[in-house]
Amino acid sequence: MQRIGFIVLPGFQMLSVSSLSVFELANWEIGEPAYHVHLLSETGGSIRSSVGISVATEPFDNRNFDTLMVGGSAVAGALTLGVIKFLRRGLRRSRRVASTCTGAFVLAEAGLLDGRRATTHWHRARELQARFPKVKVEEDRIFITDGPVWTSAGMTAGIDLALAMIEQDLGADVARSVARQLVVYHRRAGGQSQFSALLELEPKSDRIQSALAYAKRNLTSKLTVKQLASAAHLSPRQFSRAFRAETGQSPAKAVENLRVETARLMMEQSRHSIDVIAQQTGFADRYRMRRAFLRAFGQPPQVIRRNARAELAA
């Protein structure tokens, strides 16, 4: 049986511990206790959450945990020297150390993320990078595995992280069954990005939505304003004005974002060459795609693919 320890800090958010349900359901799915979950705090006892609900915790001791996890806290002074020491010891003794959401700040404060790739909630990612320059922050990832250290984005991304742990421990079939029980994706559509180009645009009218859906289906085409306007049943001038008013972007920029998102997914999940992916996503050649990747992610396609393969190998 694997022992899972989750460190609860005063003022934690209830959703941050939702990932523990993944381990509970994995036990149920295989019909035996593969995991034993422990809520931990420095002194033990009752710890109050941000909404006023308290949970019972066990105090830190000399037990070893296969997986040690931590969430964040909005309460000043919640992170103590005792917690930092416990995490540092955990990195030496545990197979995995992980954080959910702003728990990445806790791991960074303990020095566990120095020189490692990590993520956190997109809203706090740049702050994490500024405060801890030794950390290689990737702000658009759902979760990242770098050696024994796992970090996830927003609180629900902790479920994605835990499902990946289940897959590593018990296999893809068990992880997929647990995801079905939770009514979530085994692997989120659109790769591991926190963002979706279509969702981020948030068009308000059916006509602009239809144009974007048309663009998504026809990325190999040139997708001129005239084509998109025709799909929206508007004149090119009306379409351009309405599109920018509803999305805050030009049609050309939106199409590039759709192409980049699709190309990234193909880079991560397929074995197609970079030239083939560039052709299939409408970039025409690898050099245009490379420039688009640098604008969107600050990294070229080769680095995106190498990182994805490194995560899969881990």
Side-chain angles (χ1 to χ4, degrees), residues 135-148:
V135 182
K136 302 172 184 176
V137 179
E138 296 184 19
E139 62 183 79
D140 72 324
R141 309 300 281 174
I142 293 293
F143 69 88
I144 287 177
T145 305
D146 192 323

Side-chain angles (χ1 to χ4, degrees), residues 15-266:
L15 193 56
S16 68
V17 298
S18 61
S19 57
L20 299 181
S21 295
V22 176
F23 301 106
E24 176 189 10
L25 286 175
N27 289 342
W28 181 86
E29 185 65 32
I30 66 175
E32 59 180 326
Y35 301 102
H36 190 188
V37 175
H38 302 259
L39 287 178
L40 308 173
S41 67
E42 185 172 4
T43 59
S46 180
I47 301 295
R48 187 179 177 86
S49 71
S50 61
V51 295
I53 298 173
S54 297
V55 297
T57 66
E58 305 168 33
F60 294 165
D61 56 27
N62 289 322
R63 287 174 297 175
N64 290 333
F65 293 89
D66 178 81
T67 301
L68 191 61
M69 304 177 68
V70 64
S73 173
V75 175
L79 179 58
T80 64
L81 183 59
V83 174
I84 290 175
K85 288 181 176 179
F86 190 73
L87 282 165
R88 287 174 178 170
R89 190 189 74 179
L91 184 61
R92 296 191 301 270
R93 295 185 175 185
S94 302
R95 180 164 62 102
R96 299 180 294 221
V97 176
S99 66
T100 62
C101 197
T102 56
F105 285 82
V106 179
L107 296 187
E109 194 70 48
L112 273 59
L113 299 183
D114 287 355
R116 298 185 187 275
R117 297 167 52 242
T119 193
T120 188
H121 191 285
W122 62 267
H123 189 63
R124 302 287 300 278
R126 294 185 181 179
E127 178 188 349
L128 180 66
Q129 186 67 84
R131 285 179 55 187
F132 304 99
K134 293 182 181 179
V135 182
K136 302 172 184 176
V137 179
E138 296 184 19
E139 62 183 79
D140 72 324
R141 309 300 281 174
I142 293 293
F143 69 88
I144 287 177
T145 305
D146 192 323
V149 179
W150 300 50
T151 53
S152 71
M155 288 177 285
T156 59
I159 295 175
D160 297 84
L161 178 145
L163 284 168
M165 290 180 175
I166 298 296
E167 181 169 351
Q168 183 183 77
D169 297 343
L170 305 175
D173 289 343
V174 175
R176 194 175 296 110
S177 296
V178 171
R180 282 199 297 267
Q181 291 294 330
L182 290 167
V183 197
V184 298
Y185 288 112
H186 174 209
R187 295 188 183 90
R188 293 199 199 194
Q192 294 300 322
S193 175
Q194 291 188 46
F195 305 103
S196 164
L198 284 176
L199 289 176
E200 197 170 345
L201 288 168
E202 294 183 338
K204 299 175 180 60
S205 69
D206 290 342
R207 288 186 173 186
I208 301 303
Q209 289 179 9
S210 296
L212 285 169
Y214 172 84
K216 186 72 173 177
R217 294 192 305 269
N218 296 276
L219 289 178
T220 55
S221 301
K222 288 186 177 181
L223 293 175
T224 63
V225 169
K226 184 176 180 180
Q227 284 179 290
L228 296 174
S230 177
H233 303 291
L234 292 169
S235 71
R237 185 176 179 180
Q238 288 176 315
F239 173 76
S240 294
R241 187 168 57 245
F243 192 95
R244 186 176 287 277
E246 292 190 28
T247 68
Q249 295 185 15
S250 68
K253 183 62 178 176
V255 168
E256 179 177 291
N257 288 341
L258 290 172
R259 284 179 167 142
V260 162
E261 182 178 70
T262 303
R264 178 170 185 165
L265 178 60
M266 293 179 70

